[in-house]
Amino acid sequence: LTATGLIPIDVKEKDFNILMGIYSKAASRIYNELIELKENHEVIGVIDVHEDSVRYRIASKELSYYLNEVYAKKGYMKEALEVLLSYLFTELQLECISARAFTANEASHHLLLSLGFHQDGVIPRCVKAYRDVIYDDGIYSLLKEEWRK
């Protein structure tokens, strides 16, 4: 990575708790990575890899991610996800990786499409978030054979 580094979550647990207080640590999370700036080691985001909530008995995982808004739209998340996708497809030999993003989140929609994901559909009234705001969720997937095409 040129600008960011992926750090196993247990290495910087304190930083994770401070920056990502909104993230709950669900037991289903398998692989957690912090995203940090190389020049000063500031933690700017997190990527979680957990069980795919849709697929059954397929070598598949689901991604969730968060990036501090100050660093949004600067390529940091794309750079980190490219490294992680390579690891998941080559080292873990996954067949599919899925992701979800609120339909109102245009930046995530464009990010996932730029990485080769395609939108499989939308789940209306899917998530009740902060202050009881309800969001529709876009469902995305990337098959191993489609990756890097």
Side-chain angles (χ1 to χ4, degrees), residues 14-22 35 43-46 66 68:
K14 183 179 174 205
D15 291 342
F16 174 79
N17 288 333
I18 292 168
L19 184 62
M20 306 301 159
I22 60 169
I35 302 168
V43 176
I44 63 170
V46 65
Y66 171 81
N68 183 323

Side-chain angles (χ1 to χ4, degrees), residues 98-146:
S98 65
R100 294 169 46 176
F102 295 151
T103 56
N105 187 340
E106 287 292 318
S108 274
H109 172 78
H110 292 296
L111 170 66
L112 291 168
L113 294 180
S114 76
L115 291 165
F117 284 79
H118 52 86
Q119 188 169 2
D120 299 319
V122 173
I123 302 173
R125 299 184 55 85
C126 186
V127 176
K128 185 182 279 190
Y130 182 67
R131 295 195 176 167
D132 294 333
V133 176
I134 298 174
Y135 293 96
D136 296 344
D137 226 0
I139 307 299
Y140 300 82
S141 64
L142 177 61
L143 302 177
K144 185 173 186 173
E145 59 268 18
E146 297 170 340

